[in-house]
Amino acid sequence: MAARTVAIWGSCATRDAFAVASRQEELERELPLVYYGARSSWISQASPPWPQPHPDLGGEVNGFGRRMVQEDLGKTIVDQLVELQPDIVVFDLIDERLPIVRTGKIWLTASNYAKQTDLGRRVIAEADQTCTMTQPARSRLFS
C-alpha cells in the first residue's frame, strides 16, 4: 500500500489514533502525520489575522502551545493544509467547545494556551464580545 499523508485539525484524541504504540511503525509508514493543528476555532480561522505578523505573546506558554496560539492569531491552519496538500484531512470539531473572543473584526480562540500568554490575557479581558458554544448563533453553525 502506498503511503497516504494525513493532516489533522482537531484534538489530541484524533492525533493519538495515528500514534498507537502497537502499530506505530506501520502508521508512520502508511499514514504519516504531516500536520497537526489544534486549539483554534473555525470561526477564529475565518476572521482576519492579528494585525502584527509576529506579536510578542509574553507569558509562560512555549513549544506546542505557543505554536497553537500563533496559528490562531495568524489564521494559518488552512494555509498549512493547502501548502502541505495531505491526502487525508481529518476535521475534528472538538475545539468549537472553546470560547472565542472578538476584538474589532478579529476573533480569537480563548484556549488555555492563549490564556497563558500576556497578549491572550489582555485580548480576552478587553474583548468587544465573548461567545461560548452554548449561545444559539454559534450552536446553529454546527448543528
Side-chain angles (χ1 to χ4, degrees):
M1 173 177 173
R4 295 195 178 267
T5 57
V6 176
I8 298 170
W9 179 2
S11 75
C12 58
T14 301
R15 181 208 56 214
D16 290 351
F18 290 87
V20 176
S22 63
R23 299 186 67 196
Q24 187 171 358
E25 287 181 24
E26 177 187 7
L27 288 166
E28 287 174 358
R29 183 179 62 252
E30 295 181 17
L31 294 169
L33 185 61
V34 296
Y35 176 76
Y36 169 56
R39 312 305 187 281
S40 187
S41 167
W42 287 39
I43 296 167
S44 173
Q45 285 293 311
S47 76
W50 193 252
Q52 301 162 311
H54 304 286
D56 179 14
L57 299 178
E60 309 84 43
V61 72
N62 51 44
F64 174 77
R66 178 170 290 280
R67 180 172 69 89
M68 295 305 98
V69 174
Q70 289 169 331
E71 288 182 354
D72 191 57
L73 288 166
K75 317 308 180 197
T76 58
I77 291 179
V78 173
D79 295 337
Q80 292 285 334
L81 297 174
V82 169
E83 179 182 325
L84 293 168
Q85 292 289 302
D87 298 306
I88 300 166
V89 178
V90 179
F91 295 107
D92 176 344
L93 300 178
I94 190 68
D95 290 331
E96 295 311 311
R97 76 192 189 286
L98 300 172
I100 53 176
V101 297
R102 182 180 59 78
T103 179
K105 295 183 178 184
I106 301 168
W107 286 95
L108 300 172
T109 308
S111 68
N112 285 336
Y113 291 129
K115 293 174 185 176
Q116 293 174 34
T117 69
D118 295 338
L119 178 62
R121 285 189 290 265
R122 190 174 72 248
V123 169
I124 292 165
E126 298 172 3
D128 299 326
Q129 182 180 1
T130 299
C131 185
T132 65
M133 67 180 263
T134 59
Q135 290 175 304
R138 187 164 178 190
S139 64
R140 281 194 305 270
L141 180 63
F142 295 100
S143 61

